[in-house]
């Protein structure tokens, strides 16, 4: 969703650059690009930001929040384009100007909700984009559940799309990675939607054990080869052990999503693999699954990227809280975890920082009672929120 606008100058702002913060300065953008910025008083005719922060629009690599708009209640399916538009508006007002919509690329017998509907949602995103209904810039992140029998076939159907920017390799088989504690996984499913009984979970878990044994090794090889064939960056998911790290290195992983242990995070970091953690983990002070806290990784210099995961507003909140929680991280460094670094991880080098020639994807942020409020959003220089 765009509006025609002339050249814009914003003054009296706290401007967050990639390497430092201008405490009082101004920024000018024209023709969709940042022209220049400076310290002190702005040129005549500027918009007064009243001391608010101006920072790059946030870059989101992993959010499955679209699912909550498409299936707002168990067995209730909303119009997919309407769901995309509603979700997009929430992203924009949370400061997210570029998003990789994370779609589940698998089907599972007996599963409902959004499993097996990645194609439907991908088409809905395209339709909304073509109709100029979207405020944020949307790409796709294909979440591949490796043990599922149809995952390779479904990935092949989507990977040729020009908007695919990332693929992740996931394995949620009970007893490993995120859910090494099988009881945590049972608690997750009991509380999800209408809930599941222990007898139903026994059947589900046995089926997943069988899938993992029968399909995981072959599917992993084929999905990794497919990603490399199309030059799509790969993400690992929930790395836990040294063996997981070794596999990530072998598969040429670019980003490690949500490592669950300090041991794995250190190994990934030493291998030059970017570490992504959940912003809700930062805001809540820990993992909802009982795994390593993002702040603990940040204190060890092992946090590169934040993701809002399941709540869009957490991305900005977490970035602004990082300097308060980790003294070694200043504001510019914290903002890089939600702007420049994720953009570079998926080859979007035209955005993610305030610098001449970069896209004018910008947000104006006011903080009150320690809560950040996004007052204005520009995408390619056009005001969209």
């Amino acid at each position: 969703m765009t509006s025609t606008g002339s050249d814009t100058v914003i003054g009296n702002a706290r401007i967050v650059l990639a390497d430092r913060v201008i405490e009082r300065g101004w920024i000018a953008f024209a023709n969709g690009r940042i022209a220049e910025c400076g310290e002190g008083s702005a040129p005549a005719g500027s918009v007064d930001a009243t001391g608010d922060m101006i920072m790059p629009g946030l870059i989101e690599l992993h959010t499955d929040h679209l699912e909550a708009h498409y299936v707002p209640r168990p067995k209730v399916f909303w119009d997919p384009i309407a769901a995309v538009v509603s979700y997009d508006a929430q992203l924009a007002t949370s400061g997210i100007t570029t998003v990789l919509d994370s779609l589940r690329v698998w089907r599972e017998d007996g599963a409902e909700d959004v499993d097996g509907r990645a194609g439907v949602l991908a088409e809905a995103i395209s339709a909304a984009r073509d109709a100029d209904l979207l405020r944020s810039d949307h790409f796709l992140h294909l979440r591949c559940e490796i043990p599922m029998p149809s995952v390779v076939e479904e990935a092949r159907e989507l990977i040729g799309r020009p908007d695919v920017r990332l693929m992740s390799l996931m394995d949620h088989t009970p007893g490993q990675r995120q859910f090494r504690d099988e009881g945590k996984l049972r608690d997750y499913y009991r509380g999800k939607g209408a809930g599941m009984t222990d007898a139903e979970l026994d059947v589900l878990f046995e089926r997943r054990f069988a899938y993992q044994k029968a399909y995981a090794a072959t599917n992993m090889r084929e999905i990794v080869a497919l990603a490399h064939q199309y030059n799509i960056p790969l993400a690992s998911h929930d790395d836990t052990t040294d063996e997981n790290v070794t596999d990530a290195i072998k598969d040429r992983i670019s980003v490690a999503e949500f490592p669950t242990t300090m041991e794995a995070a250190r190994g990934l970091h030493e291998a030059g693999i970017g570490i992504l953690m959940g912003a809700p983990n930062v805001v809540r002070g820990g993992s909802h699954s009982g795994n390593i806290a993002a702040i603990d990784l940040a204190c060890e210099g092992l946090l590169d990227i934040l993701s809002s995961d399941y709540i869009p507003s957490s991305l900005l909140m977490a970035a602004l809280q990082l300097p308060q929680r980790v003294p070694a991280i200043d504001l510019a460094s914290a903002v890089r975890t939600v702007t420049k670094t994720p953009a570079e991880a998926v080859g979007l080098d035209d955005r993610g920082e305030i610098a001449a020639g970069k896209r004018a994807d910008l947000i104006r942020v006011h903080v009150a009672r320690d809560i950040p409020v996004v007052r204005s959003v520009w995408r390619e220089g056009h005001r969209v929120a």
Side-chain angles (χ1 to χ4, degrees), residues 31 74 82 84 87 97 120 152 159 180 189 194 221 227 292 302 313 326 340 342 353 366 384:
N31 301 316
V84 169
Y87 155 76
T97 54
V120 172
V152 175
I159 196 169
R180 281 189 297 175
Y189 276 110
R221 288 195 299 270
I292 192 74
L302 301 176
S313 62
V326 186
K340 190 174 190 290
E353 64 176 312
H366 177 74
V384 295

Side-chain angles (χ1 to χ4, degrees), residues 89-104:
Q90 186 174 3
L91 294 177
T93 55
S94 297
I96 297 168
T97 54
T98 298
V99 58
L100 271 60
D101 303 310
S102 304
L103 304 182
R104 300 190 202 187

Side-chain angles (χ1 to χ4, degrees), residues 113-125:
D113 296 345
V114 294
D115 290 356
R117 298 176 186 270
V120 172
L121 293 175
E123 287 304 311
I125 293 164

Side-chain angles (χ1 to χ4, degrees), residues 304-340:
D304 300 300
I305 299 169
L306 285 172
S307 158
S308 70
D309 198 5
Y310 56 89
I311 179 164
S313 62
S314 69
L315 196 58
L316 182 58
M317 290 178 68
L320 297 186
Q321 287 180 14
L322 268 181
Q324 302 169 23
R325 307 277 190 90
V326 186
I329 297 178
D330 61 18
L331 179 60
S333 301
V335 170
R336 282 201 305 273
T337 68
V338 295
T339 55
K340 190 174 190 290

Side-chain angles (χ1 to χ4, degrees), residues 28-95:
F29 47 95
N31 301 316
R33 301 281 163 167
I34 296 169
E36 57 181 323
C37 64
E39 301 194 41
S41 299
S46 65
V47 176
D48 187 352
T50 65
D52 289 343
M53 283 187 289
I54 299 293
M55 63 177 66
L58 310 185
I59 314 289
E60 174 58 77
L61 298 189
H62 178 122
T63 174
D64 49 20
H65 194 63
L66 172 56
E67 297 168 359
H69 291 259
Y70 180 46
V71 188
R73 291 288 186 273
K75 302 181 182 180
V76 174
F77 293 87
W78 210 244
D79 178 280
I81 296 177
V84 169
V85 172
S86 172
Y87 155 76
D88 169 78
Q90 186 174 3
L91 294 177
T93 55
S94 297

Side-chain angles (χ1 to χ4, degrees), residues 193-215:
M196 298 181 73
T197 66
D198 280 328
E200 291 170 330
L201 288 172
D202 288 341
V203 173
L204 175 66
F205 287 8
E206 284 304 313
R207 183 169 66 240
R208 289 193 174 176
F209 290 135
Y211 282 164
Q212 215 269 354
K213 183 177 180 180
Y215 301 109

Side-chain angles (χ1 to χ4, degrees), residues 280-301:
N281 186 314
V282 173
V283 174
R284 296 179 66 252
S287 164
H288 70 86
S289 301
N291 295 312
I292 192 74
I295 289 296
D296 290 344
L297 294 186
C299 288
E300 297 294 321

Side-chain angles (χ1 to χ4, degrees), residues 181-235:
D181 181 349
E182 189 176 306
K184 293 284 187 180
L185 185 56
R186 287 182 176 270
D187 290 342
Y188 172 79
Y189 276 110
R190 288 191 193 104
K192 185 179 181 183
M196 298 181 73
T197 66
D198 280 328
E200 291 170 330
L201 288 172
D202 288 341
V203 173
L204 175 66
F205 287 8
E206 284 304 313
R207 183 169 66 240
R208 289 193 174 176
F209 290 135
Y211 282 164
Q212 215 269 354
K213 183 177 180 180
Y215 301 109
T218 299
N219 286 352
M220 177 69 86
R221 288 195 299 270
E222 293 195 28
I223 290 291
V224 169
L226 194 61
H228 293 325
Q229 177 187 344
Y230 282 84
N231 294 315
I232 304 298
L234 273 170

